[in-house]
Amino acid sequence: MPHKILAISCLSQAVLAGYREVNEDSILEILNEMTTEEKFLQTCIDSQCPEGRARWLLCDVFGGGSTSGGGDAWFNLKDIPRLRIRGLRMRDGPKGMTCQGGAVVFSPPCPPDGGSPSFPSQITRAATWNTQLEESIGQAIGEIAEQLDIHAALLPTINILPWLNWGRAQESYGEDPFFSGRMGTALVRGVQQNQTVMATVKHFLANNIENTRWWVSAEMDEKTLHDVYLRAWALVVADSSPELVMTSYNRVQGKWAFADPKFIDILRNDLGFDGNIMTDWFASWEAITGGMILGEVGKTSPFYGSKGFIGSNSLYNAGVDMEMPFCSKNRDAVAQAQACAGSGAEDCNTFRKLNAATRRILRSKLRYGLVSESRNHTSRISWDNAKYDRLILQAAQEGIVLLKNDNLLPKEKVRSLAVLGSAEVLELGDHGSSAVKPSGRLVNVLDGLTGKYQEAAVQMVEDLSNASQEAFVQSADFVVVDVGFNFTFEGEFIPPATGGDRQYLTLHPHDQHLIHKASNLNQNVVVVITAGASVIVEDFVDKVKGIVWMGYPGPLGGVALANILAGHVNPSGRMPMITPKRAEDYLPHGTSLAPWALQTIDVEPTYPYSHGFKHMWQRTEARYPFGWGLSYTQYKYSEIAATLAAGSVQVVVQVANVGDRAGLETVQVYATCQACRRKRLPIVLAAFAKVALDVSETKEVKFVIELKDLSAYDAEANDGSWFLESNEYQILVGPAARDDLLLQTSVEISQQTFQYPGRARAETHAAANTECQCVPEAYGMRIKAWSLPDKSPVDVLLVFAWARWNEAMTAVCGVAFACCFILLCLFCLQRRAGRKVVEEAREKKQS
């Protein structure tokens, strides 16, 4: 029997990354050459539209580009040619670089149709449990960004799922912070291997609710904050050194995540982040955080109709570098300082903070080659889609999860296959900021199955009340029922009807009804589910022989599914979140099940310390445990051993393929401390690896787990430390987080404490610690003071109404003008014809 050894470090599979050092004298040299306006233009997009002129629609509030706000005007900062400083060009997102925002195609090099390579959603890629594949996808996204001259790729999302209903679960890596940290690290590392593209990790902090994301406050104690909601951030910063972080809209512990120094200090001073921090788009606009322009849901904001609840200098004081896309608070602060209209100390502080932000931005630009000549974008790119299709298809195939299989699959050959449901429409997921228009092939489930099996054997059944179609379902070799969700039911919430948090965790009632009808006609039914997170399947799980979860599998999802159903690909996807039998099982008793629901809205929900598989561990039986997924082969685990080394636990296990097909097995390592007295999570994921095994092959898989990854935050010490108490710790290894599937050993660990790896850069600019006296700048050098919308919600309502309707009104006017022109032409032709008839009659009469 072949025998191999595979070693896996829980830190990473490569040398830890670090922030590249640059010449600080070069930064100061550039900074000293810059005007206040040039510094300001590093931090946001200048709309050049003062409040009074915006009110009377005398200028374009969006500063060029699309007046609907969907184009370059929201994402491209200005170049400073005089100093050879590139303005950051940014694009979403988690499924690949987007070239189209809504109906608006971005400027060159984006192609005329707005298409670009589109990958499966993050949640489907999470189900691969393959960090090497995720890093390769990051490299591809970085390469695509470079071709588009994009400097900041707005990805990945590393927020977790304290609620499975979260509308943007599809943009996440699932429920576990350690897992999210490892997958996020891989993607960031891949993107930033391209020396001109920075990754932007989002959304900091505790962005886990969608419908009320602009004002909801994530209430939690310090232990919950550090043990659960900061853990992924600590891992990503330490292991991949992301250059950019995007804050969230929401509040945490009652404080704005984007405007409170506490959270920014943790990010920089505890976690060691040495890059730039930007707000989410319009986060600091009080008309949004106050709910004034968000319709009925906006009235639930505790700040509804209020003004001045976010201080004008709060972002600078917090240490946020970029207020995106258009400065509002920072504009007020800088305009005041340029005129010396505030107290001397306040105005001097604004200039210091602006210098500090600009210095950090310049440091990043020097690291990534953006102090260079501007590029002239005149031609549009055309994509080599075949180059990316391999990765797109691999991610879909490894991310699709076989949840149930009662000896039905694989079906390599069929005489007849009935397909029901929404198989003619391949759902790509969210239509918000992460939406990408695929530039390559788009293969739905029906086309994928038709291409895999004989075309004559596959039939789409649309009406089970039709006798002939019902008879076909009854006689079919097997039946595929394609069901699930789309962008109207889950995704980024864009009022009034796009996305939002899921209303329930089951399938839609009409989907469940269809499954029942199909299973009553044929025993060999496979249910294929499209969804951004787990779906409760209790209504039909005992009535069908197969269940497949796809997430949102990307443009080649139909091909991937067909390859798996036919057995040409051995399924290897594993769920990155647990599948409960009831929605209430997922959360501790007393936790609100739907804090975002308008009828039961909770503006200050308590976030759970443990949720999902940690909360349910040895307490409540799940339908499918965390890490669950089936294969067409069988794996056997044996000879587990764990030994304590310097600062780590080394775990070894034998994994054998004892089936008749080659496959990919995901080996998972968990840790518990049953006898520990101090509060800690009941169980934690400590390491994982995806291992390729041929038929009859055995591999010895080794893991190195750092002790700090087993520690818990010491809230009692109040010094930012982490502890491991002296005790016996159980190490569990197997294919999923269910105790009957896991081998167990233990190690004795003595008491130890740890600290975050903080290494904040000291501010050394000469003006930072010296007294100053504010001197007004010349009027012609001042930026235009624009307080919209903070001092006039009416103005922003007018502007947004104009922005939303302007293109439509232009189109209506154009159509009206065309109609009038046509009517005028017809009228003229009619008059001309009439004159001709009159003249002919006159001539006839005269003759």
Side-chain angles (χ1 to χ4, degrees):
M1 179 183 293
H3 187 86
K4 299 180 181 178
I5 297 178
L6 182 68
I8 305 292
S9 166
C10 80
L11 274 176
S12 66
Q13 294 173 354
V15 177
L16 291 183
Y19 287 97
R20 299 198 299 269
E21 290 297 329
V22 298
N23 188 327
E24 293 296 313
D25 291 337
S26 298
I27 297 174
L28 291 178
E29 185 178 334
I30 298 170
L31 192 66
N32 289 332
E33 288 290 317
M34 299 177 76
T35 66
T36 299
E37 181 182 23
E38 288 170 339
K39 295 173 186 176
F40 180 74
L41 290 177
Q42 301 301 300
T43 67
C44 64
I45 299 171
D46 185 11
S47 70
Q48 297 185 339
C49 189
E51 180 178 3
R53 292 177 63 79
R55 172 179 295 182
W56 299 108
L57 307 178
L58 297 176
C59 60
D60 179 6
V61 68
F62 296 108
S66 167
T67 52
S68 69
D72 300 289
W74 284 29
F75 293 97
N76 294 349
L77 279 73
K78 290 184 179 179
D79 291 348
I80 310 294
R82 182 178 74 87
L83 299 171
R84 299 175 67 248
I85 300 173
R86 299 293 311 276
L88 282 181
R89 291 168 56 89
M90 308 182 190
R91 294 288 186 275
D92 283 292
K95 289 183 289 194
M97 294 292 92
T98 182
C99 270
Q100 182 166 321
V104 181
V105 176
F106 292 155
S107 63
C110 280
D113 65 353
S116 55
S118 176
F119 295 85
S121 62
Q122 261 193 219
I123 199 67
T124 299
R125 304 199 315 264
T128 69
W129 287 63
N130 190 335
T131 55
Q132 291 178 331
L133 175 59
E134 188 69 352
E135 185 167 338
S136 296
I137 289 172
Q139 287 178 296
I141 290 174
E143 179 184 282
I144 292 163
E146 183 187 27
Q147 293 179 71
L148 294 172
D149 193 28
I150 293 169
H151 317 134
L154 306 181
L155 75 158
T157 300
I158 62 169
N159 302 109
I160 59 172
L161 308 181
W163 290 271
L164 286 173
N165 307 64
W166 183 34
R168 294 176 83 167
Q170 62 191 274
E171 289 186 52
S172 79
Y173 289 117
E175 71 167 76
D176 184 72
F178 177 86
F179 182 79
S180 298
R182 291 289 174 246
M183 294 294 285
T185 290
L187 192 70
V188 169
R189 186 180 289 130
V191 169
Q192 294 190 164
Q193 282 184 28
N194 187 299
Q195 298 298 303
T196 64
V197 182
M198 313 173 200
T200 309
V201 189
K202 57 186 187 179
H203 304 86
F204 187 81
L205 176 66
N207 184 143
N208 316 95
I209 292 174
E210 189 60 18
N211 289 10
T212 55
R213 58 183 163 146
W214 299 281
W215 50 78
V216 68
S217 179
E219 294 301 312
M220 63 186 76
D221 58 25
E222 289 299 302
K223 187 164 181 60
T224 303
L225 174 68
H226 290 271
D227 272 355
V228 183
Y229 296 95
L230 280 169
R231 185 174 286 267
W233 294 93
L235 292 169
V236 171
V237 170
D239 291 0
S240 65
S241 305
E243 199 65 35
L244 299 167
V245 162
M246 181 189 294
T247 61
S248 57
Y249 295 105
N250 56 278
R251 296 174 293 150
V252 182
Q253 299 174 331
K255 307 173 187 295
W256 296 107
F258 59 84
D260 193 274
K262 171 180 177 175
F263 306 116
I264 306 305
D265 283 348
I266 289 173
L267 183 61
R268 291 197 191 279
N269 300 329
D270 292 344
L271 275 58
F273 177 68
D274 194 42
N276 303 134
I277 302 172
M278 69 177 74
T279 68
D280 205 337
W281 266 233
F282 302 105
S284 59
W285 283 33
E286 289 180 342
I288 290 180
T289 50
M292 278 84 82
I293 64 171
L294 294 172
E296 195 65 25
V297 69
K299 296 178 182 178
T300 67
S301 170
F303 308 100
Y304 186 76
S306 302
K307 303 175 185 176
F309 53 87
I310 300 174
S312 64
N313 222 343
S314 57
L315 277 76
Y316 279 145
N317 287 335
V320 173
D321 303 307
M322 289 178 279
E323 185 182 10
M324 293 301 296
F326 314 131
C327 283
S328 172
K329 298 300 177 184
N330 288 353
R331 181 185 296 272
D332 285 350
V334 173
Q336 173 184 286
Q338 286 182 302
C340 296
S343 69
E346 182 182 17
D347 293 338
C348 286
N349 178 65
T350 296
F351 284 128
R352 288 176 183 146
K353 297 293 185 180
L354 176 60
N355 280 339
T358 305
R359 185 175 180 179
R360 287 190 290 263
I361 292 169
L362 289 174
R363 184 177 295 117
S364 294
K365 289 185 175 182
L366 283 169
R367 283 175 180 153
Y368 283 83
L370 298 179
V371 179
S372 61
E373 298 297 332
S374 301
R375 290 174 61 178
N376 183 22
H377 303 294
T378 56
S379 59
R380 292 187 179 270
I381 198 170
S382 59
W383 298 108
D384 179 7
N385 292 297
K387 181 177 182 180
Y388 302 107
D389 279 354
R390 180 190 61 81
L391 270 179
I392 292 168
L393 182 59
Q394 182 184 355
Q397 289 176 165
E398 289 196 28
I400 291 175
V401 183
L402 180 59
L403 294 174
K404 178 180 181 178
N405 182 23
D406 284 352
N407 299 314
L408 175 62
L409 300 172
K411 282 281 191 182
E412 185 172 8
K413 295 180 180 180
V414 297
R415 292 170 302 169
S416 56
L417 168 60
V419 185
L420 290 78
S422 54
E424 293 177 293
V425 179
L426 182 67
E427 296 295 346
L428 297 174
D430 184 55
H431 279 206
S433 59
S434 68
V436 180
K437 179 181 178 181
S439 57
R441 291 187 299 152
L442 189 64
V443 183
N444 61 36
V445 168
L446 180 61
D447 290 341
L449 294 173
T450 302
K452 179 60 60 177
Y453 300 107
Q454 293 180 358
E455 186 172 352
V458 181
Q459 181 176 323
M460 184 70 196
V461 177
E462 298 180 352
D463 184 6
L464 282 178
S465 64
N466 181 289
S468 63
Q469 293 193 6
E470 179 180 321
F472 181 79
V473 172
Q474 282 182 310
S475 64
D477 287 357
F478 81 111
V479 179
V480 171
V481 184
D482 183 67
V483 292
F485 309 130
N486 63 20
F487 69 93
T488 64
F489 187 69
E490 61 177 2
E492 183 175 2
F493 183 41
I494 303 175
T498 297
D501 298 303
R502 285 164 60 183
Q503 298 172 36
Y504 39 80
L505 295 182
T506 60
L507 289 173
H508 297 311
H510 65 267
D511 283 342
Q512 295 184 131
H513 180 64
L514 181 63
I515 294 168
H516 280 278
K517 290 178 71 174
S519 62
N520 288 336
L521 293 171
N522 193 309
Q523 294 182 344
N524 297 324
V525 172
V526 175
V527 177
V528 175
I529 299 172
T530 298
S534 298
V535 172
I536 293 176
V537 297
E538 298 309 299
D539 179 73
F540 58 87
V541 65
D542 295 326
K543 298 180 181 296
V544 300
K545 288 191 175 180
I547 302 176
V548 175
W549 180 89
M550 296 206 300
Y552 288 95
L556 300 181
V559 178
L561 177 67
N563 284 342
I564 287 172
L565 296 183
H568 296 162
V569 169
N570 193 351
S572 64
R574 303 291 182 262
M575 293 299 288
M577 58 259 152
I578 203 168
T579 303
K581 293 183 177 181
R582 305 180 306 161
E584 54 266 35
D585 291 344
Y586 187 80
L587 293 162
H589 179 70
T591 303
S592 174
L593 295 181
W596 54 85
L598 283 177
Q599 61 271 30
T600 58
I601 199 161
D602 186 353
V603 180
E604 297 180 349
T606 299
Y607 272 46
Y609 179 65
S610 64
H611 62 270
F613 86 90
K614 297 181 181 70
H615 164 66
M616 295 174 67
W617 176 250
Q618 295 183 331
R619 179 191 308 230
T620 307
E621 183 182 3
R623 171 55 62 182
Y624 302 118
F626 181 76
W628 176 265
L630 299 176
S631 171
Y632 294 150
T633 191
Q634 293 81 42
Y635 303 101
K636 181 180 178 182
Y637 290 72
S638 63
E639 301 179 40
I640 182 176
T643 56
L644 194 63
S648 66
V649 176
Q650 297 185 11
V651 180
V652 180
V653 66
Q654 306 290 327
V655 184
N657 183 345
V658 295
D660 58 3
R661 291 172 180 259
L664 295 168
E665 172 66 328
T666 298
V667 185
Q668 303 163 38
V669 183
Y670 298 88
T672 69
C673 181
Q674 297 173 4
C676 283
R677 296 175 299 277
R678 298 184 64 181
K679 184 177 180 181
R680 58 181 294 114
L681 292 166
I683 184 171
V684 295
L685 177 68
F688 61 92
K690 198 156 190 175
V691 182
L693 289 163
D694 289 331
V695 176
S696 301
E697 182 180 19
T698 297
K699 284 184 179 176
E700 183 179 85
V701 185
K702 292 184 177 181
F703 297 91
V704 178
I705 303 170
E706 286 209 0
L707 291 180
K708 69 179 182 63
D709 289 331
L710 302 180
S711 62
Y713 184 72
D714 193 346
E716 298 174 8
N718 198 31
D719 62 356
S721 63
W722 296 65
F723 71 89
L724 269 176
E725 64 177 273
S726 294
N727 222 309
E728 180 182 64
Y729 289 76
Q730 291 74 43
I731 305 298
L732 310 152
V733 182
R738 197 172 74 193
D739 53 4
D740 65 326
L741 299 174
L742 297 165
L743 297 182
Q744 179 174 319
T745 187
S746 62
V747 290
E748 287 283 345
I749 300 177
S750 59
Q751 182 173 325
Q752 299 184 46
T753 58
F754 305 91
Q755 296 288 332
Y756 277 127
R759 47 195 167 122
R761 188 181 294 270
E763 176 58 64
T764 58
H765 188 261
N769 301 305
T770 58
E771 294 292 329
C772 83
Q773 182 174 358
C774 187
V775 178
E777 293 190 80
Y779 184 80
M781 296 182 67
R782 299 178 193 175
I783 65 169
K784 298 180 178 67
W786 178 41
S787 56
L788 176 70
D790 303 319
K791 296 179 181 176
S792 180
V794 174
D795 292 336
V796 79
L797 282 168
L798 287 171
V799 170
F800 264 76
W802 174 252
R804 180 175 293 177
W805 295 330
N806 188 42
E807 287 190 345
M809 291 296 292
T810 302
V812 169
C813 292
V815 171
F817 177 80
C819 291
C820 290
F821 180 76
I822 292 170
L823 289 173
L824 180 62
C825 291
L826 291 173
F827 177 73
C828 293
L829 289 172
Q830 186 179 27
R831 289 198 62 185
R832 183 176 179 182
R835 288 197 201 98
K836 186 175 182 180
V837 170
V838 170
E839 289 173 358
E840 287 177 349
R842 184 182 298 126
E843 291 175 358
K844 186 175 182 181
K845 184 177 181 181
Q846 290 175 351
S847 64

